Amino acid sequence: MSDGVVQILVAVAFAAVAAGLAIRLRLGLGREIVVAAVRAVVQLALVGAVIAAVFRFPALSVAFVAAMVVASALTAGSRLRGLRRPRLGAAVAIAPPALVATGVLVLTGAFDATPRAIVPTAGILLGGAMAAATLTGRRMLEGVRDELDAIETRLALGDDVRTALAPVLRTAVVTGLVPAIDQTRSVGLVTLPGTFVGLVLGGASPAEAARTQLVVLLALLLVELVAALLMAEAVSRAATAPGERVVPPPPDGRPRRG
Amino acid sequence: MEPRSAVGLTARDVRLRRDGRLVLDGARLTLLPGTVTALVAPSGAGKSTLLRCLNRLTRADSGTVRLAGRDVATIDPRELRRRVALVVQTPTMLPGTVAENVAYALPRATPGDVEAALRAADLPPAFADRDAAGLSGGERARVAVARALARAPEVLLLDEPTAALDADSAAVIGRTLRRLAEGGLAVCLAVHDLPFARGVADRVVGLDDRELPV
């Protein structure tokens, strides 16, 4: 048997044992584990084929990155009900910081201008921006609803909307940045991040892998901060009504006047 | 044509529909300087909503509110809310001390200003350093009044100021409001408790601005 086949058989065996254990213990998770594993097989096979095509025809990388932007906006948007156009808001928060950072990394020569470098870098930065934007947006939507009394107290004392929302915004951005900061702080101690592991498994030297990982991690700090701020701004605007008033976005996203 | 009062605050024909329900149907109110007006109506009749329309935390569908003769829609909301101060039923204390709450959004307020506002709300100056989060309901109500007074308002609106208070605390608030009105402030309290309203107010009116029969 070839190495590849052995690898896949071992991986499938792990999932099978997990499913068997879950069924045996009646956790009600057996089906979910099987479905998740099958999805992973299909999605990774597809993505492998697509990336192979992208490496052969570099122009396709533009389409591939565009698809990643759309997917991240759809994923984040589905968790941001309450915004009038959640997917557009998510795309505006996620894509600019991630794509500009990718461009800077390529233009400065930190990464090669090849699909092999651009596609995964854009993917990691888009993923980080998506996570930060989603967390920030959700926390801010909850904050505007839960802390409406304090917000209106500030308005009644003579604040403008921006000032009255500032504490909620700050909390939301901090929440959105926690994973990025923790990931950066604990790198190598708690987890070995994907870029490092992938490069080492692929044959790169540990020093080379560490350098590349460092670039990605530190770039993510700024990308995620900007994504969080853009998303907080989108929620602020959605919650602001004329005449220095705050109207919390309704959970179903339909506009409401107050 | 209604004569336009050049002083105090007037609301005429304020109408508001919310979620298909008519919350305010032509509400009227006249608040004069030096006068305590009690707005008495059952719970849910729209008193709180009317008070919120007076400082534009809520936008009415139609009707006119005038402050010293000027349509409040033409006044910057931040200025309006300092001139027409609102103390809600369960006031929210902002994080920090009582002094920080009283001086909130008043960058030029001195410790003396804070002390004066506390005294005006019948609170001892020592209150300034208390953590606002640890106050009782009655103390919160009075700090909220002090916080409103620190803005030197022309009109003081209070929504059910005594709802959560015992009789003694309610009496203290009542005396404070009388004294503030004697100093020239236009005071309005929205209450459902008619006896308390009679004891404190110069005028006791319904949502149509008509005095309630004794």
Side-chain angles (χ1 to χ4, degrees):
Chain A
M1 270 195 293
S2 77
D3 287 353
V5 174
V6 172
Q7 222 172 23
I8 287 170
L9 286 179
V10 170
V12 168
F14 269 103
V17 171
L21 199 59
I23 291 166
R24 183 75 203 264
L25 296 176
R26 297 173 198 278
L27 297 177
L29 273 177
R31 198 186 135 83
E32 268 192 78
I33 289 174
V34 171
V35 170
V38 170
R39 276 187 65 144
V41 170
V42 174
Q43 285 167 211
L44 282 171
L46 276 176
V47 105
V50 171
I51 289 191
V54 169
F55 286 176
R56 202 165 318 136
F57 309 102
L60 280 181
S61 54
V62 174
F64 194 77
V65 171
M68 288 195 287
V69 168
V70 170
S72 66
L74 293 179
T75 308
S78 70
R79 299 209 177 271
L80 295 168
R81 303 254 156 78
L83 289 182
R84 224 156 293 169
R85 273 167 294 184
R87 278 163 268 173
L88 181 66
V92 168
I94 295 168
L99 297 185
V100 169
T102 306
V104 168
L105 290 176
V106 170
L107 288 177
T108 54
F111 288 136
D112 294 339
T114 59
R116 195 174 280 277
I118 290 172
V119 169
T121 304
I124 290 174
L125 297 182
L126 283 167
M130 176 181 78
T134 306
L135 269 177
T136 302
R138 285 179 69 90
R139 182 68 197 84
M140 179 110 182
L141 284 165
E142 286 165 12
V144 173
R145 290 181 197 124
D146 295 350
E147 290 166 47
L148 187 60
D149 286 345
I151 293 166
E152 289 202 324
T153 297
R154 294 190 183 93
L155 291 175
L157 293 173
D159 268 350
D160 55 29
V161 167
R162 197 154 277 279
T163 313
L165 285 177
V168 173
L169 185 145
R170 214 174 299 126
T171 310
V173 171
V174 168
T175 305
L177 263 283
V178 163
I181 291 170
D182 281 358
Q183 168 181 260
T184 307
R185 219 167 40 166
S186 66
V187 65
L189 300 175
V190 182
T191 59
L192 289 172
T195 307
F196 182 86
V197 172
L199 285 168
V200 170
L201 286 177
S205 75
E208 206 179 327
R211 261 199 321 271
T212 308
Q213 181 66 64
L214 187 68
V215 172
V216 169
L217 273 180
L218 300 192
L220 271 173
L221 287 176
L222 179 58
V223 167
E224 295 200 25
L225 177 58
V226 173
L229 289 171
L230 289 170
M231 178 50 71
E233 177 65 25
V235 178
S236 278
R237 279 165 190 252
T240 303
E244 303 295 342
R245 288 177 305 124
V246 166
V247 180
D252 58 7
R254 273 182 317 201
R256 194 195 136 183
R257 47 178 308 294
Chain B
M1 183 81 194
E2 194 80 31
R4 278 185 194 173
S5 170
V7 290
L9 184 143
T10 58
R12 292 292 174 263
D13 306 317
V14 178
R15 218 169 282 269
L16 177 70
R17 187 177 284 279
R18 173 68 54 80
D19 300 328
R21 198 174 78 86
L22 199 56
V23 183
L24 291 171
D25 185 11
R28 299 161 70 90
L29 189 63
T30 305
L31 306 177
L32 296 171
T35 306
V36 177
T37 306
L39 176 61
V40 179
S43 301
K47 299 187 295 289
S48 307
T49 308
L50 178 59
L51 294 193
R52 289 171 57 91
C53 290
L54 301 184
N55 76 352
R56 292 177 66 200
L57 274 179
T58 294
R59 186 178 57 182
D61 294 335
S62 61
T64 314
V65 178
R66 288 180 190 279
L67 176 63
R70 190 170 157 202
D71 188 338
V72 296
T74 67
I75 302 176
D76 182 323
R78 291 165 294 179
E79 182 199 331
L80 174 67
R81 289 168 192 159
R82 287 160 192 249
R83 293 171 64 187
V84 180
L86 172 64
V87 175
V88 299
Q89 182 170 350
T90 40
T92 303
M93 291 293 116
L94 300 173
T97 62
V98 166
E100 283 164 341
N101 265 272
V102 171
Y104 183 83
L106 298 174
R108 272 169 293 179
T110 64
D113 297 335
V114 171
E115 194 183 315
L118 290 174
R119 276 188 201 288
D122 286 310
L123 284 168
F127 246 72
D129 297 326
R130 293 265 303 264
D131 180 2
L135 301 177
S136 72
E139 291 166 340
R140 272 167 194 253
R142 279 187 280 164
V143 169
V145 171
R147 189 166 63 180
L149 294 175
R151 267 134 264 274
E154 294 154 51
V155 180
L156 177 61
L157 310 172
L158 304 106
D159 191 2
E160 298 284 3
T162 58
L165 305 188
D166 57 52
D168 288 347
S169 302
V172 172
I173 292 269
R175 279 200 298 277
T176 304
L177 298 181
R178 282 252 38 103
R179 193 168 35 69
L180 291 170
E182 277 149 27
L185 194 63
V187 178
C188 174
L189 48 154
V191 286
H192 66 273
D193 176 3
L194 190 55
F196 177 77
R198 294 258 182 242
V200 174
D202 303 294
R203 295 178 68 226
V204 178
V205 300
L207 281 162
D208 55 2
D209 205 27
R210 295 214 181 113
E211 300 218 17
L212 299 187
V214 181

